Amino acid sequence: MLILALDAALARCSAALWRDGEVLAERMAAAGRGHAKLLAPMAQQVLSGVPDAVAVTIGPGSFTGLRAAIALAQGLAAGAGVAVLGVTVAEALREQVGPLRGRAPWVAIDNRRGRIFLDRDGDLAPVALDGLPVPGGPVVVAGDAAIAVAAWLAARGGDVRLSDARLPRARDVAAAAARQLAGEAPMREAQPLYVDPPEARLPAGGLRPAPR
């Protein structure tokens, strides 16, 4: 199964060509902004032949980055006549963490509004740092807010391990998508996953009429 995977959810862009657990080609770059400009050339550089599927991270994450990556993934999939699969940031990071016997994986993502998007095995919710739930057992924490979350839990006596998985990688997006195709995980559409409403708001009086 040849999968082209794309990620632009957080502060990094990456693209990878993946087949049956092997990374055939990969590109990564730090990206606070400009995801759309970086990602398309990366996809072109790694792509060789026609993939069997295209996979992309769907969130939570950067509004612009998510939409740019999803639009590119949908366009490439349509051109190749193949399926496009959505993978959450937490699913990709759990692939990176790998199996840890006896520890529940928590993924903590900074929402840049003073809160954290906390994913506990698919249960996703925005929480304040001082409002974090107390784990009922050993946990491992990943994500770009993992250091703060792990420190808070450890200070309260939690059995916590800090993972070095901070940002998703396209190779892990591909691995998570392969689980969907194998029936090991639920299929996800390539549509943005937003936890908070967008910051943009319509004017109180509504939009102005179009000029004549």
Side-chain angles (χ1 to χ4, degrees), residues 28-172:
M28 287 193 290
R33 295 184 179 181
H35 296 80
K37 184 177 180 180
L38 288 170
L39 194 58
M42 286 183 179
Q44 186 176 22
Q45 290 164 13
V46 302
L47 186 57
S48 175
V50 179
D52 298 305
V54 178
V56 62
T57 40
I58 58 174
S62 160
F63 179 87
T64 304
L66 291 176
R67 296 184 71 85
I70 291 170
L72 178 60
Q74 290 174 338
L76 292 170
V82 300
V84 57
L85 305 172
V87 172
T88 69
V89 169
E91 288 169 336
L93 285 171
R94 285 198 291 267
E95 290 290 335
Q96 195 175 148
V97 170
L100 282 172
R101 186 174 300 174
R103 289 191 177 271
W106 284 22
V107 175
I109 302 165
D110 187 350
N111 83 334
R112 311 300 177 189
R113 299 183 189 178
R115 291 191 299 169
I116 292 164
F117 295 144
L118 181 64
D119 185 295
R120 295 182 291 165
D121 198 21
D123 181 11
L124 177 64
V127 296
L129 183 61
D130 59 5
L132 284 169
V134 177
V139 298
V140 58
V141 187
D144 63 353
I147 294 175
V149 169
W152 191 92
L153 295 176
R156 283 148 185 82
D159 183 352
V160 57
R161 180 179 297 176
L162 178 63
S163 166
D164 60 2
R166 300 284 185 271
L167 301 172
R169 305 176 303 189
R171 63 171 65 191
D172 303 307

Side-chain angles (χ1 to χ4, degrees), residues 2-43:
L2 186 65
I3 298 177
L4 171 66
L6 308 174
D7 169 66
L10 300 177
R12 180 167 65 194
C13 282
S14 61
L17 192 64
W18 183 98
R19 177 189 283 128
D20 301 330
E22 179 183 2
V23 179
L24 304 180
E26 186 174 35
R27 297 288 185 276
M28 287 193 290
R33 295 184 179 181
H35 296 80
K37 184 177 180 180
L38 288 170
L39 194 58
M42 286 183 179

